Amino acid sequence: MSPVLSAVLEGLVWSALWIIMLMCLFYRYPWLLVHDYPPDARAAARLPEPSPAQRRNGILFTVCCYVILIGTLLAAGLVHYAAAPVSFGTVLLHLWIICMAWNVVDLLVMDWLLFCTITPKSFILPGTEGCKGYKDYRFHLVGFGKGCIYMTLFALIFAAIDFVILKFLLW
């Protein structure tokens, strides 16, 4: 299998992990996602204040998910390139493809298909029924643009970590 195809497939797996995390957050800890909603929905949202236990559990859940997501991304570079030396650019490209696969899946599946087109009731925050932001495709496109920058930086940081581990511990 080509390295690019491998990275795309890993990106789809990484995207599935992100989606699982986000769905759990939508259903159990929606207050942790309010900042990602369109401005009119953020302003109209009427979420009950989480209890200290709910807040703690939400933060713990999020931290655990990020450990899994980061660990998976780090492992992707290490597993693929442990056998023989490659350039930093090769590791970076691999991780960038994985990160950008998630960014594309987030835009097309999570944002445009689910959020804007289907808009399941579980995605609608209490008090925001009828907000026009739920159908604002441009809002999510702008988020995708920001995601391109963030995912590029994310790939750069984790490619550097992978490359240092590969160079000094595995090759």
Side-chain angles (χ1 to χ4, degrees):
M1 179 179 311
S2 79
V4 171
L5 180 58
S6 179
V8 169
L9 292 175
E10 289 170 19
L12 294 176
V13 169
W14 205 53
S15 297
L17 292 173
W18 272 100
I19 289 170
I20 290 167
M21 180 186 84
L22 288 173
M23 292 307 220
C24 290
L25 288 171
F26 279 125
Y27 291 111
R28 298 281 304 191
Y29 313 107
W31 65 89
L32 292 172
L33 294 174
V34 171
H35 67 278
D36 285 333
Y37 276 73
D40 65 337
R42 280 195 309 263
R46 301 290 176 257
L47 288 171
E49 189 66 31
S51 70
Q54 287 173 318
R55 188 176 302 280
R56 184 185 66 247
N57 291 342
I59 291 169
L60 181 62
F61 175 79
T62 304
V63 168
C64 289
C65 287
Y66 279 119
V67 166
I68 291 167
L69 289 165
I70 288 169
T72 304
L73 186 61
L74 283 171
L78 295 174
V79 167
H80 278 281
Y81 302 110
V86 295
S87 70
F88 172 75
T90 300
V91 178
L92 174 60
L93 179 62
H94 192 93
L95 296 187
W96 184 81
I97 290 169
I98 293 170
C99 290
M100 288 308 294
W102 157 244
N103 202 31
V104 170
V105 167
D106 182 48
L107 175 68
L108 297 178
V109 176
M110 293 298 293
D111 293 341
W112 283 358
L113 177 64
L114 291 176
F115 201 83
C116 291
T117 304
I118 298 172
T119 321
K121 289 185 185 207
S122 59
F123 284 24
I124 298 175
L125 298 172
T128 66
E129 299 81 1
C131 285
K132 294 188 185 326
Y134 284 113
K135 303 298 181 185
D136 187 352
Y137 290 84
R138 185 179 181 284
F139 171 79
H140 298 287
L141 184 61
V142 169
F144 172 78
K146 292 175 186 175
C148 288
I149 295 166
Y150 291 136
M151 288 295 103
T152 298
L153 292 173
F154 209 67
L156 214 109
I157 290 165
F158 288 98
I161 293 168
D162 270 357
F163 193 74
V164 167
I165 292 170
L166 289 166
K167 185 169 177 95
F168 295 107
L169 299 177
L170 297 177
W171 292 332

